[in-house]
Amino acid sequence: MRRLLCVAMALMGVGTAMASSSEQFPRFIVPGEERRMDALRDLYLLHYPGSGPQSTMWDEWLPSAALWPATGDQRETFRAAWANALSGRILDTDGYVATHQHGSIAHPLGWPFPFWNQGAGGCGWHFSFKDTVGLPWRQDHLDKPEGWTLGNAVAVGMEDAGWAIETTDSGASVTPPQQPIDTFQAPFVQLRWTAHGLGRAQPCLEWATKDRPAFGPDRRMYFPTTEGDVIAHAALPMYRHPLWTGEVTRLRVLFGDAPAGAKVTIQALFTQYDTRHNTNSQSFINGCAAYFNWTRDLPFLRANIQRMRQALRYDLTEFHALDRNVIVTDWVGHDGRTGLLVKRDGSKEILPGHGVGNNYWDLLPFGNEDAYATIHHYAAAVRMAAIERDIRNHPEWNVPLGPLSFEPDMLVKHAAAVKAVGNKRFWNPRTGRFVACVDADGKAHDYGYTFVNCEAIAYGFATSSHAREVMRWLNGERSVRGDTSRGADIYRFRFGPRSSTLRNVGWYGWFWNGPESIPWGGQVQDGGAVLGFSYHDVMARLAVLGPDNAWKRLLQIADWFSEVQQAGGYREYYKDKPDVSLQGGGTAGGLGLDHEFHESVLLPQVMLDGFLGFIPTGDGFRLNPRLPRDWPSLSVEGIDWHGLTLRVKATPKVVDVWKEGTLDEPVFVCLPAGPWKMTYLAPNGLEEAATVVRRKPDNAIQVDWQHHAGVRFER
C-alpha cells in the first residue's frame, strides 16, 4: 500500500455537505455530451468536500480544485481554510517545510514512519503517551526509569506528562542505561519534555563510545530550552556532528547552569530516522502560487512571499539543485538504495535504515538523484519565476523584495537547465521512459512508474521527443521487454493507467519486507492505480496526442464513473470483483479512489485546465482552448477568479468571457500566438470594438472591462 498504515480520513456526509451548494456548483457544457459532462461534474461534487487542506504534500494538487468553484459561502470557507493552512505551514530555521501529517514518534516535522522500534540499532524510553498518537504509530508499552542515573537532581515521580525530576544544583543531568546505538539508524535523537524554572540554561545531549567512554564537550549537541506545560519535541540533528559515527554506547542529557529548584519532566528520549520529505518545499510553493493566482490575495502574498523564497532556496541548496540541476537527496537513509535485498536464491536480507520514503509514495525509496522530486522542483521554479515577475510588474502591490528574492530570468534559466539535465539523467533509452531515481550506487530504478512519466509531461518537464516515446509506451504502440503489464493491460482498471508496469518485490524501505505476498495489482504502488493521477495522464495526452485522444480517454473515464454511480459508489461497484481491492480507511488495496485519496478531485480539472486552457495568473489569466473535433463548443460556468465569477465559452474560433462583479484594474490575458480581435460585450448583447494593446515581453492583451459585461477574443 502507499502508506504503511493508512489514516482514515473518509469522505463523510458528502451529500449533506454539498446539498446547499450543488446548484451553484460549476458546470461543464458540451452540446451533445450532456451525460458525460454531468458525470464529470458529479465526480467533482463527490470529491470537492475533501479538497480542503490536508498534509503538505497535497498543497501541490488541492488548492486550485478547492478555490475556483463559485459556490457562495463554501467558497469563502475554502478560501479562508487554504489561506490559514498555507500561512501556517511550519518552516524550520533551515527553511525545510514541515510535512504536517499526523504525529507519531518519528521526526516531528516529517512523515509518521518509520520510527525507531521498527528498525534495529536505535533505542528509546517512553514514560508517558500524553498528547502522543496511539497505536500503531508508537510502541505499545510505557517504560520505567530503572537504571537511569541523576546528577545534581532528584526524582519527583511519575506524572501525567512523564517522569518528573527536580534540580538540586547547577550542572544537573539525567543518564539513561547503557544502550548501543548504531548512528546510521539514529540520524536524530529526540527529547520530549517540559520544564519550569530553567532560566537561561543551555541544555545539551552528550554521548560516549567504546573508545571514549567518558562524556566530553566535543561530543555534545545543544538544543533549545523550553518553559511551561506544553510538551516540547526537540529533534536533534545528530548526523550533522562529525563525531556522531559508528557505535554510541551511552547518552546523557545536561541541563547546563539551570538553578536549583528547576523542574523537568521527561516524556520520552529516543532515536529517530529521518522521515522528512524532499518534495515539501515544492508542494508548498506551488500551493501558495495557486492560491494567490486564483484569489489575488495581496496580504497573503506579502505575508508568505519570503517563506516561499526561503523554501525554494532550501531546495536549491540542501538538495544541490543550484549546482547539479537535479534534486540530490543525501539525507541519511534517503540514498535511493533498497532496504530489502533479494538474493539470487530467493532469500532476503533486511537492511534496516535503508529505503526511507521521500514523498506521497512513501514505501518507495526515491532518493539520491530523484527524478520525481526534480520534476516537481522544475514546476516550482517555473511558478516562482512567474510570481517574481508579477511582483516586479506591479510595484503598486507593495510586495517586498529583499535579499531572498529571485530574479525571474535567473529562475527561468535554472528551470531550463533542470529540464535539460534531468531529461538526460533520468531517461532510460532501453525502456523509453523516465526512471524513478538514480541511487547512490549509480543504479537507476525503473518499474514503469506512469505517475512519474505523466507528470513529467503534464508539468512541461519532458522534452517533446521523450513525451512522444512515453505516450507510445502507454498507448501500447510499443512494448517494454520484461514488463509485467503491456498494451491494453496498462489500463486494466479503466479510470487510469496502472501506477507501475513492472512487478516490484525488491525496492522498498526495509519496513515493507513482504511485498511478494501481495498479488500484482493488489497495492497502489505495485500495479495498482490512483484515480487522481489520471488527471496527469489526460493532460499529457492533450499535450502530446491532442484533444481528440485526450477526450477519448476522458470519455472512457466518464462512462466508468457513470457505472460506479449506478452501482451505488466505489465500494459497491467493486465489492463483487474478487481480483480488485480498494485501499483506504485503514485497509490496504490496489485502487486509490476514496477516503484519504483526496487527489481524486484532480481528474475533473482537465476540463478547465486542459480543454479550456484557463490558467489564472497574478494579474489575469491564460486561455488556450483545445477542443476535440466533435465538440462545437465548451462552456465552463461558475469560475471564481480574483473575486469575480466568470463564464467562459470557447468555440474553434471565438472565446467569450462573461463576468459578474467589478474589478477596477486592467486584466492581462495571454492567448496562443497569432492575430486576435478583441470586442467588449454588453449585457444586452451589444458589442464594442476594442483596440488590442499588448504588454511586453509576454504579449498579454490588456483588457479594461470595468464598464463591460464581458469580452470576446476572435482569431
Side-chain angles (χ1 to χ4, degrees):
M1 58 183 173
R2 173 168 56 87
R3 297 169 181 79
L4 182 62
L5 290 165
C6 305
V7 185
M9 293 183 286
L11 295 174
M12 301 295 292
V14 169
T16 302
M18 294 306 301
S20 62
S21 57
S22 60
E23 288 304 312
Q24 303 175 61
F25 204 70
R27 297 184 182 277
F28 311 125
I29 301 171
V30 175
E33 290 293 349
E34 288 78 8
R35 182 174 63 84
R36 269 74 176 248
M37 293 300 109
D38 286 346
L40 290 171
R41 182 175 183 266
D42 289 344
L43 177 61
Y44 196 180
L45 272 165
L46 174 64
H47 293 284
Y48 179 66
S51 61
Q54 309 296 331
S55 69
T56 305
M57 67 185 180
W58 276 287
D59 292 353
E60 168 76 18
W61 304 309
L62 298 186
S64 289
L67 294 169
W68 76 262
T71 55
D73 292 342
Q74 192 149 7
R75 166 177 64 182
E76 295 305 316
T77 299
F78 266 144
R79 174 171 169 166
W82 272 109
N84 292 334
L86 293 167
S87 298
R89 294 296 187 221
I90 296 170
L91 274 69
D92 72 12
T93 52
D94 288 330
Y96 167 76
V97 182
T99 302
H100 288 274
Q101 181 69 333
H102 68 81
S104 76
I105 56 171
H107 194 295
L109 304 184
W111 200 240
F113 68 84
F115 38 89
W116 71 267
N117 56 356
Q118 291 180 306
C123 67
W125 297 268
H126 299 264
F127 301 125
S128 166
F129 291 140
K130 180 183 179 182
D131 300 332
T132 302
V133 71
L135 294 171
W137 305 102
R138 56 165 172 79
Q139 69 178 38
D140 60 0
H141 65 280
L142 291 175
D143 295 293
K144 296 180 180 180
E146 296 175 354
W148 285 61
T149 58
L150 300 176
N152 293 341
V154 294
V156 175
M158 285 296 176
E159 298 181 350
D160 185 42
W163 180 39
I165 66 171
E166 184 176 310
T167 63
T168 59
D169 202 347
S170 63
S173 66
V174 293
T175 306
Q178 187 161 321
Q179 176 72 42
I181 300 170
D182 177 358
T183 53
F184 176 76
Q185 307 292 331
F188 288 83
V189 173
Q190 186 175 159
L191 175 68
R192 296 190 176 181
W193 65 311
T194 66
H196 292 269
L198 286 185
R200 300 183 65 82
Q202 300 185 70
C204 66
L205 180 81
E206 292 186 336
W207 64 95
T209 67
K210 284 184 178 180
D211 296 336
R212 305 186 68 183
F215 295 110
D218 60 331
R219 282 157 289 127
R220 178 178 288 178
M221 182 73 78
Y222 287 91
F223 55 92
T225 190
T226 188
E227 183 70 25
D229 294 325
V230 176
I231 298 172
H233 296 187
L236 281 65
M238 308 305 296
Y239 71 95
R240 294 181 180 174
H241 199 294
L243 296 183
W244 184 258
T245 60
E247 182 179 296
V248 165
T249 56
R250 201 163 197 180
L251 302 174
R252 178 170 73 168
V253 180
L254 290 175
F255 298 106
D257 57 352
K263 182 182 178 182
V264 171
T265 303
I266 299 175
Q267 185 191 49
L269 177 68
F270 53 93
T271 62
Q272 64 176 66
Y273 295 101
D274 189 346
T275 64
R276 293 175 296 173
H277 278 181
N278 68 355
T279 55
N280 287 353
S281 298
Q282 306 139 24
S283 189
F284 170 71
I285 292 165
N286 290 330
C288 287
Y291 174 86
F292 175 71
N293 287 336
W294 277 113
T295 65
R296 194 179 168 275
D297 185 341
L298 290 173
F300 171 88
L301 186 61
R302 291 190 201 102
N304 285 283
I305 186 62
Q306 303 293 24
R307 287 157 45 83
M308 296 167 67
R309 290 164 174 161
Q310 187 180 11
L312 184 55
R313 288 194 180 277
Y314 185 82
D315 242 25
L316 292 169
T317 54
E318 179 74 7
F319 304 127
H320 313 285
L322 193 59
D323 56 320
R324 298 278 294 274
N325 291 313
V326 295
I327 293 293
V328 182
T329 309
D330 48 17
W331 291 336
V332 179
H334 293 254
D335 54 17
R337 298 185 180 105
T338 183
L340 176 63
L341 182 61
V342 180
K343 300 180 180 179
R344 289 185 177 181
D345 62 1
S347 63
K348 290 183 291 186
E349 180 182 356
I350 308 302
L351 305 172
H354 289 280
V356 181
N358 277 312
N359 54 51
Y360 175 99
W361 303 91
D362 53 13
L363 302 183
L364 300 174
F366 285 81
N368 195 52
E369 295 180 319
D370 189 331
Y372 188 78
T374 299
I375 292 165
H376 286 248
H377 172 77
Y378 169 83
V382 170
R383 290 171 183 171
M384 194 68 181
I387 292 285
E388 292 282 24
R389 197 177 302 282
D390 284 344
I391 290 170
R392 285 157 177 78
N393 284 341
H394 294 279
E396 74 277 10
W397 288 357
N398 190 26
V399 176
L401 293 173
L404 289 179
S405 66
F406 293 95
E407 287 298 328
D409 289 345
M410 173 267 170
L411 290 179
V412 170
K413 290 178 181 177
H414 171 68
V418 169
K419 179 173 181 175
V421 174
N423 272 265
K424 292 179 181 178
R425 189 61 178 144
F426 300 125
W427 184 253
N428 186 340
R430 184 187 68 82
T431 60
R433 62 196 182 202
F434 291 101
V435 303
C437 72
V438 180
D439 70 22
D441 296 320
K443 180 180 179 181
H445 295 273
D446 181 356
Y447 290 93
Y449 290 123
T450 60
F451 57 89
V452 171
N453 285 270
C454 288
E455 287 183 50
I457 299 171
Y459 287 126
F461 174 84
T463 64
S464 58
S465 60
H466 287 167
R468 288 193 298 271
E469 277 303 295
V470 167
M471 296 315 302
R472 289 185 63 238
W473 158 54
L474 292 178
N475 273 345
E477 297 171 31
R478 63 179 183 86
S479 295
V480 176
R481 179 178 295 181
D483 267 5
T484 312
S485 177
R486 306 182 192 181
D489 183 69
I490 295 175
Y491 289 87
R492 181 239 196 254
F493 298 116
R494 297 177 61 193
F495 62 78
R498 294 181 183 268
S499 298
S500 63
T501 59
L502 176 62
R503 177 76 155 140
N504 173 19
V505 295
W507 190 60
Y508 293 98
W510 83 92
F511 43 83
W512 187 254
N513 49 43
E516 72 284 350
S517 65
I518 300 172
W520 167 248
Q523 287 286 282
V524 291
Q525 83 284 339
D526 189 35
V530 176
L531 172 60
F533 300 135
S534 294
Y535 167 85
H536 301 113
D537 177 38
V538 178
M539 292 294 285
R541 290 175 176 278
L542 186 63
V544 180
L545 302 176
D548 289 335
N549 181 277
W551 168 233
K552 181 179 179 181
R553 179 91 279 276
L554 188 59
L555 184 153
Q556 294 167 338
I557 299 170
D559 288 347
W560 162 83
F561 186 69
S562 293
E563 295 176 22
V564 167
Q565 285 182 297
Q566 292 171 7
Y570 300 127
R571 301 280 160 168
E572 287 296 312
Y573 180 75
Y574 284 106
K575 71 177 183 180
D576 296 324
K577 297 178 172 58
D579 57 341
V580 178
S581 58
L582 273 64
Q583 180 176 314
T587 61
L591 303 186
L593 303 169
D594 56 2
H595 290 283
E596 70 265 25
F597 291 89
H598 306 284
E599 66 278 354
S600 291
V601 77
L602 274 174
L603 193 277
Q605 310 311 312
V606 299
M607 297 302 300
L608 181 73
D609 303 347
F611 293 106
L612 190 61
F614 185 99
I615 306 296
T617 63
D619 59 9
F621 48 84
R622 299 180 181 277
L623 274 172
N624 184 21
R626 304 194 64 191
L627 308 187
R629 284 175 292 183
D630 294 341
W631 291 9
S633 64
L634 165 63
S635 298
V636 179
E637 298 180 345
I639 302 171
D640 182 2
W641 169 85
H642 289 205
L644 304 182
T645 299
L646 306 183
R647 172 169 51 93
V648 183
K649 179 179 180 180
T651 67
K653 295 289 186 181
V654 177
V655 183
D656 287 344
V657 183
W658 297 88
K659 70 176 176 70
E660 295 178 16
T662 59
L663 187 66
D664 63 356
E665 295 184 1
V667 173
F668 294 90
V669 180
C670 292
L671 296 162
W676 289 87
K677 174 185 175 183
M678 185 173 74
T679 306
Y680 288 120
L681 305 174
N684 58 10
L686 294 178
E687 301 177 359
E688 177 185 328
T691 302
V692 173
V693 177
R694 293 185 179 270
R695 177 179 65 183
K696 294 181 179 180
D698 61 359
N699 276 331
I701 296 175
Q702 181 171 322
V703 177
D704 296 291
W705 61 359
Q706 181 179 1
H707 303 293
H708 304 281
V711 62
R712 170 172 294 166
F713 302 103
E714 189 171 1
R715 293 180 187 271

